[in-house]
Amino acid sequence: MKPSFLGKIGIVFLMLAALSVECAYIDPGTGSFFIQVMIAFLAGAAFAVKMFWKKIVAFFKGEKRKKATPVATRSVSRGEREARSFERASSAKHD
Amino acid sequence: MTNPPLASSFRDPSGFLFVSDNVLYRQVNRVYRPHYDRLMQSGLYEELTAAGRLIPHEETDLKLSGDASLTIKPEPVPFVSYPYEWCFSQLKDAALSTLAIQQAAFRRGLVLKDASVYNIQFHRGAPVLIDTLSFETYEEGRPWVAYRQFCQHFLAPLLLMSRRDVRLSQLLRVHLDGIPLDLASALLPRSTWWSPGVLSHIHLHAKSQRYFADKPRAAARRLRLGRLAFEGLIDGLLSLVKKLRWEPSTRTVGGTAWADYYDNTSYRPSAFAHKKEIVDRLLASLRPATVWDLGANTGVFSRIAAARGAHVVSMDLDPAAVELNYAACRKEGEKGVLPLLLDLANPSAASGWENRERLSLLERGPADTVLALALVHHLAIGNNVPLARLAGFFARAGRRLIVEFVPKEDSQVKRLLATREDVFPGYAEAEFEKAMTGPFVLREKIPVRDSLRTIYLLEKAT
């Protein structure tokens, strides 16, 4: 049976994928690949927690600022809003 | 006419470096072109060059031949240095920069396909990636191809320097593809097994390499790594490297005698001030483009030369002095000084394939002007080098020489001679002048005020 057009694309894609693994001009090392995947599994989980935590911290920090400087967002033009958020960001840097 | 690739540029089939009419070019081969286009079109090139992390280049219309798709002209780096010539913080900054580049690339759908320490050069005071062809399009699921290389080229030497002995950076002289991880694992203290980062990236990594050494590669090809795991891996490496420290102190093994030299120095502040004045005046009149400051200590005179517009390679054999020199340059934003760890009694040799991959020190010269201040007695008495051989070395290193002669009556020389027999009857001013005026012509001779020392300006006889 002849493969369909999409099937052909799939085959080419698979060939390219396999080829690109072969293409690495430095030896990535089987043992290095293996340990990397093991480490990255744990590191990825830790990274997800870290990012989540950062978001929580940012959320609370953002909340506090909003309360401190109430902004009537509806009457503020986009340019002014951007300028304010820039000020907020730059003042955060000096915290 | 085709130009042959540089002797060090043969591993990567993506392209190579060549020199034409004294200008350095990089050929981009057809096979690599899609990745190059992605680098340029994704905004990554702009981002990295603006941040000073990637060497800028221009595309040229140089005639193409063979596999070539494009020829680019990278901004020239005035002096190529190698990781075994860097202090701890230079290697650490290079590692952090490599990881930051990888993160930036990942955000734009690319990855580093290699993480060779030789792809980083210090340019305008900061580590810069000089291999424009190091990027490739990220393929979802594929682990980081350069992980092993990063561990061997950066992580292992940094850990050995930080946790064992700073002098272990010299292992990189022998192991040009980075320190083998089983060796790093054996040399690191047992206590490092308790650090999750060192345990996984070095100790278990070494064991894994050993286990898989005779297994077929097909096993690795099925391994997949998700985006989040990939980012986690790089983030983990980044926090591990960031935490590593090495503090130069007289108590540290390796952080030795010279770091506090200027504080303990025997000669008076007025003599030191006059010496600075003399050197500054001579450099102001010579206006050299390149200076090699030999035995630079913490780089006081190197910075004087840089202030006069020179690119200065500031060499010393003491890791602590180089560390302090680099720290001062970073703090002051000094971009014209490159501090390097070099022992003039045994300067970096030519190494690698055909002895032509990594150049010796002298092959990277000569400099316009050589500074040799408070150095001659260390080489002549400390290393028994005859004065004529010293003059010969200076003549190979540079066209002009600003050299200081420190006589036997000086307390620094007395200190050197205190622990050994004086077998140097020829170490005297007249003999020194005679030796130096072999390859050089004497232009100026200036006694340093309130001291027994003399500074000479010499120029190579043509």
Side-chain angles (χ1 to χ4, degrees):
Chain A
M1 192 186 83
K2 267 189 162 181
S4 66
F5 178 66
L6 279 176
K8 272 182 195 161
I9 291 178
I11 290 168
V12 170
F13 183 77
L14 279 176
M15 277 166 65
L16 280 175
L19 196 74
S20 69
V21 174
E22 292 298 324
C23 244
Y25 84 97
I26 55 167
D27 177 15
T30 310
S32 297
F33 255 32
F34 178 77
I35 196 77
Q36 176 188 169
V37 171
M38 297 297 116
I39 296 167
F41 180 71
L42 295 171
F47 186 66
V49 171
K50 190 172 153 184
M51 287 297 117
F52 186 62
W53 183 247
K54 268 191 178 171
K55 272 184 190 162
I56 290 175
V57 171
F59 176 75
F60 279 104
K61 274 194 175 169
E63 280 292 305
K64 254 191 219 165
R65 281 234 169 68
K66 267 179 203 162
K67 269 177 199 164
T69 53
V71 178
T73 38
R74 226 185 253 172
S75 62
V76 176
S77 74
R78 200 176 152 204
E80 275 175 319
R81 249 201 324 273
E82 275 168 7
R84 279 182 196 170
S85 73
F86 175 74
E87 270 170 34
R88 264 208 303 283
S90 48
S91 70
K93 265 185 204 162
H94 299 293
D95 276 356
Chain B
M1 192 190 78
T2 53
N3 296 285
L6 291 191
S8 59
S9 190
F10 63 88
R11 286 206 170 79
D12 189 353
S14 308
F16 59 83
L17 288 164
F18 65 91
V19 173
S20 175
D21 292 329
N22 283 325
V23 179
L24 182 73
Y25 295 97
R26 192 183 285 276
Q27 174 172 313
V28 182
N29 286 341
R30 265 187 233 117
V31 64
Y32 184 76
R33 188 62 191 261
H35 302 289
Y36 172 82
D37 289 340
R38 177 109 197 206
L39 165 72
M40 301 309 289
Q41 286 154 17
S42 63
L44 182 62
Y45 173 81
E46 272 78 30
E47 182 188 338
L48 292 178
T49 48
R53 293 202 188 278
L54 174 66
I55 199 83
H57 70 258
E58 287 166 19
E59 294 183 0
T60 71
D61 46 10
L62 227 68
K63 247 191 198 157
L64 304 173
S65 58
D67 296 332
S69 167
L70 177 74
T71 300
I72 60 173
K73 188 174 133 219
E75 189 177 300
V77 174
F79 187 91
V80 170
S81 62
Y82 303 124
Y84 39 83
E85 298 166 341
W86 299 345
C87 67
F88 174 80
S89 292
Q90 284 173 306
L91 185 58
K92 180 178 166 178
D93 284 353
L96 291 175
S97 194
T98 301
L99 292 170
I101 291 168
Q102 166 58 37
Q103 283 184 322
F106 199 76
R107 285 193 290 272
R108 295 182 190 266
L110 288 126
V111 285
L112 280 178
K113 72 177 174 16
D114 46 28
S116 166
V117 72
Y118 297 94
N119 281 348
I120 301 285
Q121 284 300 324
F122 281 84
H123 188 38
R124 301 186 204 286
V128 176
L129 177 69
I130 53 158
D131 186 2
T132 314
L133 313 188
S134 274
F135 301 91
E136 67 183 6
T137 308
Y138 171 62
E139 285 166 39
E140 190 84 39
R142 193 177 176 202
W144 191 26
V145 177
Y147 172 69
R148 177 192 62 86
Q149 205 175 33
F150 182 83
C151 292
Q152 292 185 188
H153 284 223
F154 291 101
L155 196 56
L158 280 172
L159 281 166
L160 288 170
M161 290 166 87
S162 159
R163 301 287 173 88
R164 181 55 87 187
D165 192 309
V166 76
R167 292 169 292 184
L168 286 171
S169 64
Q170 294 310 300
L171 283 176
L172 287 168
R173 273 207 200 201
V174 185
H175 301 284
L176 287 187
D177 192 24
I179 298 171
L181 296 182
D182 61 327
L183 178 60
S185 175
L187 290 174
L188 280 169
R190 293 301 283 181
S191 61
T192 57
W193 283 75
W194 295 101
S195 152
V198 188
L199 174 69
S200 54
H201 294 299
I202 302 290
H203 297 303
L204 296 181
H205 191 171
K207 287 201 181 296
S208 177
Q209 282 184 335
R210 198 171 152 189
Y211 176 80
F212 282 98
D214 53 356
K215 305 282 185 293
R217 281 205 314 147
R221 227 167 298 161
R222 285 194 298 272
L223 292 169
R224 282 287 170 263
L225 199 63
R227 258 173 189 280
L228 195 68
F230 201 121
E231 283 187 85
L233 178 81
I234 304 301
D235 188 66
L237 285 169
L238 202 56
S239 13
L240 177 60
V241 173
K242 267 186 192 160
K243 271 188 282 182
L244 297 178
R245 295 266 178 282
W246 180 75
E247 302 294 340
S249 102
T250 43
R251 274 168 299 157
T252 324
V253 185
T256 47
W258 305 114
D260 53 357
Y261 185 75
Y262 287 131
D263 302 328
N264 288 342
T265 188
S266 60
Y267 55 106
R268 291 180 201 150
S270 59
F272 193 57
H274 188 219
K275 189 166 140 180
K276 284 204 243 180
E277 227 178 273
I278 296 166
V279 172
D280 185 50
R281 180 177 65 74
L282 292 176
L283 288 167
S285 68
L286 295 174
R287 290 258 157 210
T290 55
V291 168
W292 283 7
D293 185 357
L294 309 179
N297 201 301
T298 54
V300 171
F301 292 93
S302 300
R303 284 190 279 284
I304 291 174
R308 290 288 174 194
H311 179 269
V312 188
V313 186
S314 184
M315 312 172 199
D316 202 277
L317 59 76
D318 175 20
V322 183
E323 186 74 33
L324 292 170
N325 192 352
Y326 180 66
C329 287
R330 288 313 302 248
K331 199 175 151 206
E332 294 161 20
E334 175 57 73
K335 291 175 177 165
V337 176
L338 172 62
L340 289 183
L341 182 73
L342 266 153
D343 179 0
L344 294 172
N346 179 23
S348 304
S351 61
W353 182 247
E354 287 186 292
N355 289 122
R356 289 170 71 201
E357 268 191 89
R358 312 290 163 229
L359 303 177
S360 73
L361 173 66
L362 286 173
E363 280 171 324
R364 286 172 275 166
D368 286 343
T369 300
V370 167
L371 280 182
L373 305 168
L375 174 75
V376 167
H377 54 297
H378 289 295
L379 294 172
I381 292 173
N383 197 44
N384 295 31
V385 178
L387 292 172
R389 298 275 307 265
L390 203 55
F393 170 71
F394 289 146
R396 288 178 71 194
R399 297 178 191 96
R400 293 198 186 92
L401 172 67
I402 297 171
V403 63
E404 179 182 23
F405 183 74
V406 185
K408 273 188 188 167
E409 296 73 35
D410 187 281
S411 62
Q412 291 298 323
V413 182
K414 278 185 187 160
R415 205 164 82 170
L416 278 178
L417 284 169
T419 52
R420 59 177 305 176
E421 200 184 329
D422 184 357
V423 289
F424 311 99
Y427 187 83
E429 199 173 289
E431 273 78 0
F432 173 76
E433 283 174 19
K434 198 178 148 205
M436 290 297 142
T437 46
F440 291 100
V441 177
L442 178 64
R443 293 282 179 229
E444 246 186 281
K445 177 179 172 181
I446 313 139
V448 180
R449 199 185 299 147
D450 298 331
S451 80
L452 302 163
R453 303 172 168 212
T454 315
I455 289 177
Y456 297 85
L457 171 63
L458 298 140
E459 199 167 342
K460 233 161 131 176
T462 42

